[in-house]
Amino acid sequence: MYDYLIVGAGLYGAVFAREMTDAGKRCLVIDRRDHIGGNIYTKEVEGINVHVYGAHIFHTDNKEVWDYVNRYAVFNRYTNSPVAFYKDEVYNMPFNMNTFSRLWNIKTPEEAKAMIEKQRAEAAIDEPKNLEEQAISLVGRDIYEKLVKGYTQKQWGRDCKELPAFIIKRLPVRFTYDNNYFNDRYQGIAEGGYTALIEKLLEGVEVRLGVDYFDRREELSSVAKKTLYTGMVDQYFDYCYGELEYRGLRFETEVLDCENYQGNAVINYTEYEVPYTRIIEHKHFEYGTQEKTVITREYPETWEKDKEPYYPVNNEKNNELYNKYKTLADREETVIFGGRLGTYRYLDMHHIVAEALALSKKELGK
């Protein structure tokens, strides 16, 4: 008999398993994939740690979370500074003085603010009715047309006029020459890859891979007093209210016989005609000097049941549907729902760690 069955060997499950194990609880971790780490899984290719399911940069303002992950991995000083390609033009992200200088040939914050305000006034949008109007009302037409429109349409698979305004509550605009994407105090990449971090968290914990919870649900649920479930909440309840929507991703990864392909870890392609949203060059996350390089093109796509769900589509319709499932979840006496899929929310890695630690303390009565 185990104290906890943990469904999912990703970051949430691994942190919870570590805390429970250190408290003397016996845990069994299962995952239907053939590897640990969930979507932050990394594998070595040509001496380069490849982010198999897309780029993951750890960033947080929470010192407790930062200190915690640094107990199990060394994090380098990587700063996320993506670049955007629009046709033959190159822009820095997020929108900052380097972006505005390239866009409008201006130099000062006052000039940039005046240009944005002029375009907002010209648009004269008082109550945005869709994402396009919302974006233009925030940053003006130039930035929207070149750096928001095409990328967003690819990401969501719909025209921006068909997307609700609330998806973009704000767009980060900085009037400094600073290309750091995040404002958080702590930021970096786990040296040696995130798989090594998960391995440390799961040290001494029983892990079974290639095990689908739904193939042996009754048997598996009977081996533990409680279950932490980090899979899709609608699947757990057999889609009784219908399916929640997700966005899918497809990755094309290749090894190139060159030292440096694009000069940056992440380059976004913001024009709609380019089918992928970004190219990741993995060696730059860890300042690699290998003779070869590995790149990944990332394609958003419509999610289907046999594919990996990546992004919850948190519009009004899906949130209402999720609330019905949450009511059922709250009634489960021996099952806890956690993580991005279990709570149908977009969560960054630092959110995952913080929530797993909070759950651990709650379970231990701390």
Side-chain angles (χ1 to χ4, degrees), residues 216-268:
R216 301 164 50 189
R217 181 170 179 168
E218 189 173 338
E219 172 198 345
L220 288 167
S221 298
S222 68
V223 304
K225 298 173 185 174
K226 296 184 82 170
T227 297
L228 169 62
Y229 175 81
T230 66
M232 294 162 52
V233 63
D234 52 345
Q235 184 182 16
Y236 180 89
F237 293 106
D238 198 26
Y239 309 102
C240 64
Y241 293 128
E243 296 178 22
L244 291 166
E245 287 184 86
Y246 302 86
R247 282 297 284 168
L249 293 173
R250 177 170 58 87
F251 303 99
E252 289 183 358
T253 299
E254 60 180 314
V255 178
L256 300 179
D257 195 15
C258 67
E259 185 180 348
N260 186 359
Y261 175 72
Q262 64 183 18
N264 203 52
V266 180
I267 293 185
N268 294 344

Side-chain angles (χ1 to χ4, degrees), residues 277-293:
T277 50
R278 59 183 179 174
I279 295 180
I280 302 161
E281 188 168 9
H282 302 269
K283 70 189 303 179
H284 295 309
F285 288 129
E286 297 184 67
Y287 313 104
T289 57
Q290 297 88 350
E291 292 183 1
K292 295 186 179 183
T293 193

